[in-house]
Amino acid sequence: MIPVLDLKAQYANIEQEIDAAIKEILLSGQFILGPAVRELEEKVAAYCECKYGVGVASGTDALRLTLTALGIGPGDEVITTPFTFIATANTISHCGARPVFVDIDPRTYNIDPAAIEAAITERTKAIVPVHLYGQPADMDPIMELAEVHGLYVVEDAAQAIGARYKGRRVGSIGHAGCFSFYPTKNLGAYGDGGMVVTNDAALAEKVDILRRQGGKKKYHAEVLGFNSRLDTLQAAILGVKLKHLDDWNEARRRVAQRYSELLDGLPVTTPYESPDVYHVYHQYTIRAEQRDALAAYLKERGIGTMIYYPVPLHLQRLYADLGYSEGSLPASEAASREVLSLPMYPELTEAQQQEVVQSIREFYGR
Ligand SMILES: Cc1ncc(COP(=O)(O)O)c(C=O)c1O
């Protein structure tokens, strides 16, 4: 059995550190915000080369609170990619704004900057690029467009903590960066969690107020807020894991390199890595002929795979009334039909990778 992800293998390597950090919080009796959350905010902000970090309940809330803090609301449009997790877009909808989808670069699977300009209208307020699978989107042209048109850029960096674009950490390039600490992420908690990073003090303060029921002072609400704090236990766990993140990301890159070598010559397309980026391989995703049959074949042999994502967002039933149809965004639709993510985690061994690739070879050799 080779699972698509093995969180037990990770815990086995850091068990004592994690258990001690949890115990410390239990003994402190302080479970909501407090020093562990503040410390993690400082550490993650510093890690992302940003001034401020605000811990929230999930990556979804990181996006929602950021968009809310930026004043995005009814009548506004926000440009994003359809080839992503639903939260990238439904947070735009939750603000009352309209997601406007533009197609992806078929090599990187990230939003195609060349397609953005044509989608800008006088209602456009922001662009939300996603750093999919751990590879940064092409941020320079996106930031240039934003500058020219007076738009905000909110990076959905949920899958890419530690990645760099032209030397800069993701999350530090736009007006704000949103991270998810969902357990499967490169920096994953043992439950939900998220963080907003920014260099804008006023924006950080607004997100901070929004996450605590809309008031800086308890029981004094200034704005319509949420209950969306990063859990203190999770912050303590993440503090331990953050120390290992660079090593884990390096290990993921080695796993990716090995896969690409082993898969050479097979009828699959291995991931393209842009020369401008430090890719952190949240996923190792190939394009495969007969994708669904291959996934089923691997499953029979105990090898886990995942499809991120089988239906692009513009074709989700949720967004039927936005007016898109099949053929609207062909690169995203083709990707949804062809992508397959292979087992990927820092602890994956070379022998396991050989087994995965041998099974893929057998499938195409039948
Ligand atoms: C690209 C992307 N955006 C947003 C999210 C939402 O994060 P969360 O699950 O922590 O709410 C995720 C992950 O789940 C994601 O992969």
mmCIF file of all heavy atoms in Angstrom, residues 57-61 63 84-85 87-88 130-132 156-159 179-182 185 192-194 282 309, ligand 1:
data_model
loop_
_atom_site.group_PDB
_atom_site.id
_atom_site.type_symbol
_atom_site.label_atom_id
_atom_site.label_comp_id
_atom_site.label_asym_id
_atom_site.label_seq_id
_atom_site.Cartn_x
_atom_site.Cartn_y
_atom_site.Cartn_z
ATOM 1 N N ALA A 57 -9.214 30.796 11.389
ATOM 2 C CA ALA A 57 -9.686 29.433 11.592
ATOM 3 C C ALA A 57 -9.409 28.483 10.431
ATOM 4 O O ALA A 57 -9.441 27.264 10.609
ATOM 5 C CB ALA A 57 -11.188 29.458 11.890
ATOM 6 N N SER A 58 -9.164 29.001 9.246
ATOM 7 C CA SER A 58 -8.936 28.134 8.079
ATOM 8 C C SER A 58 -8.367 28.975 6.940
ATOM 9 O O SER A 58 -8.394 30.215 6.996
ATOM 10 C CB SER A 58 -10.260 27.508 7.611
ATOM 11 O OG SER A 58 -11.141 28.520 7.134
ATOM 12 N N GLY A 59 -7.942 28.287 5.884
ATOM 13 C CA GLY A 59 -7.512 28.998 4.682
ATOM 14 C C GLY A 59 -8.685 29.710 4.027
ATOM 15 O O GLY A 59 -8.543 30.812 3.480
ATOM 16 N N THR A 60 -9.840 29.070 4.093
ATOM 17 C CA THR A 60 -11.053 29.684 3.552
ATOM 18 C C THR A 60 -11.317 31.023 4.236
ATOM 19 O O THR A 60 -11.574 32.036 3.580
ATOM 20 C CB THR A 60 -12.258 28.742 3.773
ATOM 21 O OG1 THR A 60 -11.953 27.471 3.175
ATOM 22 C CG2 THR A 60 -13.526 29.310 3.177
ATOM 23 N N ASP A 61 -11.227 31.023 5.567
ATOM 24 C CA ASP A 61 -11.470 32.270 6.294
ATOM 25 C C ASP A 61 -10.360 33.288 6.060
ATOM 26 O O ASP A 61 -10.614 34.503 6.096
ATOM 27 C CB ASP A 61 -11.639 31.998 7.794
ATOM 28 C CG ASP A 61 -13.083 31.624 8.129
ATOM 29 O OD1 ASP A 61 -13.894 31.511 7.187
ATOM 30 O OD2 ASP A 61 -13.382 31.459 9.318
ATOM 31 N N LEU A 63 -9.009 33.875 3.256
ATOM 32 C CA LEU A 63 -9.463 34.550 2.035
ATOM 33 C C LEU A 63 -10.673 35.431 2.320
ATOM 34 O O LEU A 63 -10.730 36.593 1.923
ATOM 35 C CB LEU A 63 -9.822 33.507 0.967
ATOM 36 C CG LEU A 63 -8.641 32.752 0.344
ATOM 37 C CD1 LEU A 63 -9.114 31.478 -0.351
ATOM 38 C CD2 LEU A 63 -7.898 33.644 -0.658
ATOM 39 N N THR A 84 -8.901 25.378 -9.423
ATOM 40 C CA THR A 84 -8.505 25.528 -8.024
ATOM 41 C C THR A 84 -9.581 24.908 -7.142
ATOM 42 O O THR A 84 -10.596 24.400 -7.621
ATOM 43 C CB THR A 84 -8.315 27.026 -7.689
ATOM 44 O OG1 THR A 84 -7.963 27.164 -6.290
ATOM 45 C CG2 THR A 84 -9.595 27.829 -7.917
ATOM 46 N N PHE A 85 -9.335 24.967 -5.838
ATOM 47 C CA PHE A 85 -10.297 24.496 -4.848
ATOM 48 C C PHE A 85 -11.431 25.522 -4.748
ATOM 49 O O PHE A 85 -11.203 26.728 -4.902
ATOM 50 C CB PHE A 85 -9.557 24.357 -3.513
ATOM 51 C CG PHE A 85 -10.390 23.807 -2.392
ATOM 52 C CD1 PHE A 85 -10.974 22.560 -2.478
ATOM 53 C CD2 PHE A 85 -10.569 24.543 -1.225
ATOM 54 C CE1 PHE A 85 -11.725 22.055 -1.431
ATOM 55 C CE2 PHE A 85 -11.317 24.040 -0.174
ATOM 56 C CZ PHE A 85 -11.895 22.796 -0.283
ATOM 57 N N ALA A 87 -12.919 26.997 -2.471
ATOM 58 C CA ALA A 87 -12.845 28.118 -1.522
ATOM 59 C C ALA A 87 -12.251 29.378 -2.145
ATOM 60 O O ALA A 87 -12.545 30.497 -1.700
ATOM 61 C CB ALA A 87 -12.037 27.722 -0.287
ATOM 62 N N THR A 88 -11.405 29.222 -3.166
ATOM 63 C CA THR A 88 -10.834 30.396 -3.822
ATOM 64 C C THR A 88 -11.954 31.295 -4.341
ATOM 65 O O THR A 88 -11.868 32.519 -4.277
ATOM 66 C CB THR A 88 -9.934 29.978 -5.011
ATOM 67 O OG1 THR A 88 -8.997 29.002 -4.573
ATOM 68 C CG2 THR A 88 -9.207 31.174 -5.604
ATOM 69 N N VAL A 130 -3.775 31.889 -7.655
ATOM 70 C CA VAL A 130 -3.543 30.729 -6.784
ATOM 71 C C VAL A 130 -2.190 30.137 -7.169
ATOM 72 O O VAL A 130 -1.887 30.028 -8.362
ATOM 73 C CB VAL A 130 -4.647 29.675 -6.990
ATOM 74 C CG1 VAL A 130 -4.391 28.438 -6.125
ATOM 75 C CG2 VAL A 130 -6.014 30.263 -6.680
ATOM 76 N N HIS A 131 -1.404 29.774 -6.179
ATOM 77 C CA HIS A 131 -0.110 29.120 -6.450
ATOM 78 C C HIS A 131 -0.354 27.615 -6.393
ATOM 79 O O HIS A 131 -0.095 26.967 -5.377
ATOM 80 C CB HIS A 131 0.929 29.569 -5.431
ATOM 81 C CG HIS A 131 1.060 31.063 -5.314
ATOM 82 N ND1 HIS A 131 1.283 31.871 -6.409
ATOM 83 C CD2 HIS A 131 0.988 31.892 -4.244
ATOM 84 C CE1 HIS A 131 1.367 33.139 -6.007
ATOM 85 N NE2 HIS A 131 1.176 33.175 -4.705
ATOM 86 N N LEU A 132 -0.877 27.090 -7.494
ATOM 87 C CA LEU A 132 -1.393 25.723 -7.455
ATOM 88 C C LEU A 132 -0.291 24.669 -7.375
ATOM 89 O O LEU A 132 0.725 24.784 -8.044
ATOM 90 C CB LEU A 132 -2.262 25.469 -8.695
ATOM 91 C CG LEU A 132 -3.235 24.306 -8.523
ATOM 92 C CD1 LEU A 132 -4.390 24.676 -7.614
ATOM 93 C CD2 LEU A 132 -3.753 23.827 -9.876
ATOM 94 N N ASP A 156 -3.739 33.481 -3.118
ATOM 95 C CA ASP A 156 -4.180 32.239 -2.479
ATOM 96 C C ASP A 156 -2.971 31.312 -2.478
ATOM 97 O O ASP A 156 -2.679 30.618 -3.455
ATOM 98 C CB ASP A 156 -5.360 31.619 -3.236
ATOM 99 C CG ASP A 156 -5.854 30.347 -2.562
ATOM 100 O OD1 ASP A 156 -5.099 29.773 -1.751
ATOM 101 O OD2 ASP A 156 -6.987 29.915 -2.857
ATOM 102 N N ALA A 157 -2.259 31.354 -1.341
ATOM 103 C CA ALA A 157 -1.010 30.603 -1.202
ATOM 104 C C ALA A 157 -1.221 29.346 -0.365
ATOM 105 O O ALA A 157 -0.272 28.798 0.203
ATOM 106 C CB ALA A 157 0.052 31.500 -0.584
ATOM 107 N N ALA A 158 -2.481 28.881 -0.315
ATOM 108 C CA ALA A 158 -2.830 27.744 0.546
ATOM 109 C C ALA A 158 -1.934 26.528 0.302
ATOM 110 O O ALA A 158 -1.627 25.786 1.232
ATOM 111 C CB ALA A 158 -4.297 27.367 0.323
ATOM 112 N N GLN A 159 -1.518 26.340 -0.950
ATOM 113 C CA GLN A 159 -0.758 25.128 -1.285
ATOM 114 C C GLN A 159 0.744 25.386 -1.392
ATOM 115 O O GLN A 159 1.473 24.503 -1.830
ATOM 116 C CB GLN A 159 -1.265 24.569 -2.630
ATOM 117 C CG GLN A 159 -2.747 24.232 -2.602
ATOM 118 C CD GLN A 159 -3.221 23.499 -3.846
ATOM 119 O OE1 GLN A 159 -2.450 23.196 -4.734
ATOM 120 N NE2 GLN A 159 -4.517 23.216 -3.891
ATOM 121 N N PHE A 179 -2.903 31.670 3.698
ATOM 122 C CA PHE A 179 -2.398 30.303 3.859
ATOM 123 C C PHE A 179 -3.432 29.425 4.545
ATOM 124 O O PHE A 179 -4.219 29.906 5.361
ATOM 125 C CB PHE A 179 -1.113 30.310 4.700
ATOM 126 C CG PHE A 179 0.043 30.959 3.988
ATOM 127 C CD1 PHE A 179 0.390 32.273 4.258
ATOM 128 C CD2 PHE A 179 0.755 30.273 3.017
ATOM 129 C CE1 PHE A 179 1.440 32.885 3.588
ATOM 130 C CE2 PHE A 179 1.801 30.869 2.333
ATOM 131 C CZ PHE A 179 2.144 32.177 2.623
ATOM 132 N N SER A 180 -3.372 28.153 4.208
ATOM 133 C CA SER A 180 -4.195 27.135 4.874
ATOM 134 C C SER A 180 -3.276 26.207 5.643
ATOM 135 O O SER A 180 -2.217 25.824 5.135
ATOM 136 C CB SER A 180 -4.963 26.318 3.829
ATOM 137 O OG SER A 180 -5.454 25.113 4.402
ATOM 138 N N PHE A 181 -3.706 25.835 6.850
ATOM 139 C CA PHE A 181 -2.965 24.826 7.615
ATOM 140 C C PHE A 181 -3.766 23.524 7.705
ATOM 141 O O PHE A 181 -3.609 22.758 8.654
ATOM 142 C CB PHE A 181 -2.626 25.353 9.022
ATOM 143 C CG PHE A 181 -1.814 26.626 9.022
ATOM 144 C CD1 PHE A 181 -2.204 27.712 9.803
ATOM 145 C CD2 PHE A 181 -0.668 26.745 8.244
ATOM 146 C CE1 PHE A 181 -1.470 28.893 9.817
ATOM 147 C CE2 PHE A 181 0.083 27.922 8.248
ATOM 148 C CZ PHE A 181 -0.316 28.994 9.045
ATOM 149 N N TYR A 182 -4.640 23.320 6.746
ATOM 150 C CA TYR A 182 -5.365 22.044 6.647
ATOM 151 C C TYR A 182 -4.329 20.907 6.760
ATOM 152 O O TYR A 182 -3.205 21.049 6.265
ATOM 153 C CB TYR A 182 -6.077 22.014 5.278
ATOM 154 C CG TYR A 182 -6.992 20.849 5.080
ATOM 155 C CD1 TYR A 182 -8.252 20.806 5.664
ATOM 156 C CD2 TYR A 182 -6.599 19.766 4.287
ATOM 157 C CE1 TYR A 182 -9.084 19.726 5.479
ATOM 158 C CE2 TYR A 182 -7.430 18.682 4.100
ATOM 159 C CZ TYR A 182 -8.671 18.661 4.700
ATOM 160 O OH TYR A 182 -9.493 17.584 4.522
ATOM 161 N N LYS A 185 -1.678 19.998 4.086
ATOM 162 C CA LYS A 185 -0.848 21.028 3.459
ATOM 163 C C LYS A 185 0.632 20.850 3.837
ATOM 164 O O LYS A 185 0.965 20.136 4.779
ATOM 165 C CB LYS A 185 -1.334 22.422 3.896
ATOM 166 C CG LYS A 185 -2.752 22.733 3.403
ATOM 167 C CD LYS A 185 -2.818 22.852 1.894
ATOM 168 C CE LYS A 185 -4.103 23.455 1.381
ATOM 169 N NZ LYS A 185 -5.172 22.481 1.100
ATOM 170 N N ASP A 192 -8.229 22.296 11.509
ATOM 171 C CA ASP A 192 -8.241 23.430 10.588
ATOM 172 C C ASP A 192 -7.414 24.597 11.120
ATOM 173 O O ASP A 192 -7.251 24.753 12.335
ATOM 174 C CB ASP A 192 -9.688 23.909 10.369
ATOM 175 C CG ASP A 192 -10.431 23.068 9.341
ATOM 176 O OD1 ASP A 192 -9.897 22.904 8.224
ATOM 177 O OD2 ASP A 192 -11.527 22.571 9.660
ATOM 178 N N GLY A 193 -6.944 25.417 10.213
ATOM 179 C CA GLY A 193 -6.229 26.633 10.590
ATOM 180 C C GLY A 193 -5.843 27.398 9.345
ATOM 181 O O GLY A 193 -5.849 26.850 8.241
ATOM 182 N N GLY A 194 -5.546 28.671 9.522
ATOM 183 C CA GLY A 194 -5.119 29.482 8.379
ATOM 184 C C GLY A 194 -4.441 30.743 8.855
ATOM 185 O O GLY A 194 -4.421 31.038 10.059
ATOM 186 N N HIS A 282 3.554 20.808 -3.340
ATOM 187 C CA HIS A 282 2.444 20.324 -2.511
ATOM 188 C C HIS A 282 1.851 19.076 -3.176
ATOM 189 O O HIS A 282 1.503 18.104 -2.504
ATOM 190 C CB HIS A 282 1.395 21.425 -2.369
ATOM 191 C CG HIS A 282 0.163 20.968 -1.662
ATOM 192 N ND1 HIS A 282 0.204 20.433 -0.402
ATOM 193 C CD2 HIS A 282 -1.133 20.931 -2.043
ATOM 194 C CE1 HIS A 282 -1.019 20.107 -0.031
ATOM 195 N NE2 HIS A 282 -1.843 20.383 -1.008
ATOM 196 N N TYR A 309 -8.235 19.209 -10.105
ATOM 197 C CA TYR A 309 -9.596 19.099 -9.629
ATOM 198 C C TYR A 309 -10.435 18.555 -10.769
ATOM 199 O O TYR A 309 -10.219 18.953 -11.913
ATOM 200 C CB TYR A 309 -10.109 20.474 -9.199
ATOM 201 C CG TYR A 309 -9.321 20.948 -7.985
ATOM 202 C CD1 TYR A 309 -8.147 21.669 -8.126
ATOM 203 C CD2 TYR A 309 -9.746 20.599 -6.700
ATOM 204 C CE1 TYR A 309 -7.415 22.065 -7.013
ATOM 205 C CE2 TYR A 309 -9.017 21.011 -5.588
ATOM 206 C CZ TYR A 309 -7.852 21.725 -5.750
ATOM 207 O OH TYR A 309 -7.121 22.100 -4.654
HETATM 208 C C1 LIG B 1 -6.036 26.615 -3.272
HETATM 209 C C2 LIG B 1 -6.768 26.530 -1.970
HETATM 210 N N1 LIG B 1 -7.439 27.601 -1.533
HETATM 211 C C3 LIG B 1 -8.090 27.582 -0.365
HETATM 212 C C4 LIG B 1 -8.114 26.468 0.436
HETATM 213 C C5 LIG B 1 -8.939 26.503 1.677
HETATM 214 O O1 LIG B 1 -8.236 26.176 2.833
HETATM 215 P P1 LIG B 1 -8.969 25.496 4.079
HETATM 216 O O2 LIG B 1 -9.299 24.092 3.710
HETATM 217 O O3 LIG B 1 -7.933 25.592 5.156
HETATM 218 O O4 LIG B 1 -10.168 26.297 4.394
HETATM 219 C C6 LIG B 1 -7.401 25.321 0.022
HETATM 220 C C7 LIG B 1 -7.310 24.085 0.807
HETATM 221 O O5 LIG B 1 -8.091 23.414 1.281
HETATM 222 C C8 LIG B 1 -6.739 25.350 -1.225
HETATM 223 O O6 LIG B 1 -6.094 24.272 -1.672
#
